[in-house]
Amino acid sequence: MTSTDGLRLLPFRGLRYAPDRVSSLTAVTSPPYDVVVRPDGVRELETSDPYNIVRLILPHTADPTARHRQAAETLRRWRDEGILTPDPEPALYVYEQRGGDTLQRGLIGALRLDGPVLPHEDVIPEVVEDRAALMGAAAANFEPLLLSYRGQGTANGATAVIERTVQHAPLLATTTEDGFAHRLWAVTDPAELAAIDADLAQRQALIADGHHRWATYQRLHEQRPEAGPDSPWASGLVLLVDTARYPLQVRAIHRVLPHLPPDKALADVAGAFRVSRLPDDPDAALEALARTPGTAFVLSGGPDSFHLLDRPDPGLLDRAIRTDRPEAWRRLDATVLHSVLLDEVWRIPDHPSDIGYLHHTGAAVAQAARHGGTAVLMRATSEETVRQLAQQGVTMPRKSTSFGPKPATGLVLRTLDDEGS
């Protein structure tokens, strides 16, 4: 690839919390907006510090139409009061996450939207509309999405810059409540920036986490036809990780069907799948799922209800799953779930009020029990399978896999007006 074919990661003036104006960096950070799904989770973050970033990424008001305006006004006030302050010059940011045996390092910057970025999932239009309204009103990218690329797996190019940079004192360091330690450095040296640019010009990226935010960046740019290729709106905030050097963790995303009672879910699948009762233990249920060959799921109606579904009827699969896709796509658990169970067997509408997506097993089981619905516990798909399908232009069912660790929200923001560009 030539330099115009590859990735262009642009420096920007990061907007960061002033340490002396908040109780701690830990108290103002948050998981990504789509992980903070429970109202009590939002309230917990809001009460941890009056300046917690959740007030920007998930604003809530008595009048829902005022949410985005409130976030924009909150951002403007925090900037005016010096709670959030811009760095003195544009930079790319080296970002490190460390927890247990996991070490992840990557680069945060403003990625040009016209580069080779491979999505692997579809998006929900309503979510993109909401995120676009929020980011457009605030003229800001609040949190980086997570992209992976395959470098050479050695300390050269962009990776060499990262590993030189982490030998110096960081701009900030904090440990979040999940036990992960986070550190951030700014790269401003022209030679180092040039080395990163030359390396990334040979790469393509896979969206690991953040399809809706990437689609939002594109929507915001499309809404501004006057914005040229050098406009801040022609790029979006991302974290780029070389997974040949720092492999990502890959986990499943579970489904919660709040309007499908577990008894009906099990009755409807009789004859379509083999159904086996499992011990009343979520960990044991997931272990049984991991050991099961072929297509398989666990259904749960609560902490004392787990059933394994496997051995689907081949005739049903042939009838329900489209044949114009690669065999690897047709065999995906998520494909079978959406094409067979959700569309054909249960006839669940593809709408946020009818299908919830949760990363944590316990939360999915508890939410199903609370609503009298059904949780569908899933297995993860490997990064290599995801990448191979994406390179063929084949998208997977949304929320097929969760890559991580995800970047903490609130360590560095990007504004799209003159002050922060």
Side-chain angles (χ1 to χ4, degrees):
M1 289 185 288
T2 67
S3 61
T4 56
D5 295 325
L7 302 172
R8 291 296 313 282
L9 190 66
L10 308 176
F12 68 101
R13 290 181 67 196
L15 190 69
R16 298 188 293 113
Y17 281 99
D20 59 342
R21 299 299 307 276
V22 297
S23 57
S24 70
L25 282 175
T26 299
V28 295
T29 59
S30 163
Y33 81 96
D34 56 342
V35 178
V36 187
V37 292
R38 304 184 316 277
D40 57 327
V42 175
R43 286 192 295 271
E44 181 180 339
L45 290 166
E46 285 181 332
T47 56
S48 65
D49 187 284
Y51 301 113
N52 188 281
I53 193 70
V54 77
R55 297 180 185 273
L56 300 180
I57 64 172
L58 288 172
H60 61 87
T61 61
D63 176 10
T65 63
R67 292 185 304 110
H68 306 128
R69 184 172 66 252
Q70 175 177 288
E73 291 171 352
T74 300
L75 175 62
R76 184 163 48 250
R77 185 173 70 254
W78 289 0
R79 292 171 70 177
D80 290 344
E81 295 174 358
I83 307 301
L84 290 167
T85 60
D87 283 336
E89 58 183 319
L92 295 179
Y93 295 86
V94 170
Y95 176 47
E96 178 188 274
Q97 294 162 275
R98 188 189 294 268
D101 296 331
T102 299
L103 172 63
Q104 179 169 290
R105 290 172 176 158
L107 289 165
I108 294 176
L111 188 67
R112 283 277 298 260
L113 302 180
D114 56 1
V117 175
L118 304 174
H120 68 269
E121 294 179 1
D122 294 327
V123 296
I124 302 171
E126 296 93 333
V127 176
V128 175
E129 291 171 10
D130 177 73
R131 290 289 103 186
L134 175 68
M135 291 189 209
N141 300 157
F142 292 128
E143 47 188 338
L145 57 91
L146 175 62
L147 301 181
S148 74
Y149 72 97
R150 300 292 290 179
Q152 298 177 359
T154 55
N156 55 19
T159 299
V161 174
I162 290 172
E163 297 187 4
R164 283 193 295 270
T165 301
V166 298
Q167 303 304 313
H168 303 286
L171 289 175
L172 63 84
T174 190
T175 300
T176 46
E177 290 189 354
D178 59 5
F180 268 84
H182 306 260
R183 297 197 295 172
L184 191 77
W185 296 259
V187 178
T188 58
D189 179 81
E192 300 282 52
L193 294 173
I196 293 170
D197 191 53
D199 186 11
L200 296 182
Q202 307 172 60
R203 313 297 178 196
Q204 63 178 0
L206 173 73
I207 300 178
D209 183 73
H211 284 80
H212 288 92
R213 278 165 283 170
W214 185 252
T216 296
Y217 297 159
Q218 294 173 318
R219 174 75 60 84
L220 290 169
H221 189 225
E222 292 166 359
Q223 291 172 346
R224 293 160 177 79
E226 75 284 357
D230 296 325
S231 162
W233 299 95
S235 55
L237 187 64
V238 307
L239 166 63
L240 266 177
V241 175
D242 176 4
T243 54
R245 186 72 169 179
Y246 299 105
L248 295 176
Q249 299 174 354
V250 187
R251 293 190 173 94
I253 302 178
H254 309 300
R255 274 62 168 165
V256 175
L257 313 175
H259 309 307
L260 179 65
D263 289 346
K264 178 173 171 38
L266 290 169
D268 288 350
V269 299
F273 285 74
R274 184 177 70 170
V275 180
S276 308
R277 180 67 190 255
L278 294 173
D280 298 340
D281 180 332
D283 292 334
L286 290 180
E287 289 173 5
L289 179 61
R291 293 193 304 266
T292 303
T295 301
F297 313 95
V298 167
L299 301 190
S300 175
D304 57 354
S305 171
F306 296 93
H307 291 82
L308 177 70
L309 303 190
D310 70 341
R311 299 188 185 179
D313 173 26
L316 176 60
L317 299 184
D318 290 341
R319 292 193 304 273
I321 299 176
R322 55 192 296 179
T323 58
D324 61 342
R325 295 290 180 94
E327 186 63 20
W329 181 89
R330 301 183 78 247
R331 293 196 305 267
L332 291 171
D333 285 352
T335 297
V336 177
L337 171 65
H338 284 262
S339 298
V340 179
L341 285 171
L342 296 179
D343 292 349
E344 287 289 323
V345 175
W346 294 325
R347 300 191 180 278
I348 303 293
D350 187 6
H351 191 272
S353 64
D354 294 287
I355 306 174
Y357 298 88
L358 279 81
H359 296 74
H360 301 291
T361 305
V365 172
Q367 189 173 110
R370 188 162 56 248
H371 291 286
T374 300
V376 184
L377 307 184
M378 307 283 291
R379 298 177 294 201
T381 304
S382 72
E383 180 184 354
E384 190 55 33
T385 297
V386 173
R387 187 180 301 277
Q388 288 175 359
L389 289 172
Q391 288 172 337
Q392 297 176 62
V394 177
T395 56
M396 300 168 65
R398 71 175 63 99
K399 304 291 185 183
S400 292
T401 290
S402 173
F403 289 90
K406 304 178 191 306
T409 298
L411 297 181
V412 61
L413 290 66
R414 175 181 179 243
T415 52
L416 302 174
D417 54 19
D418 289 338
E419 180 179 346
S421 300

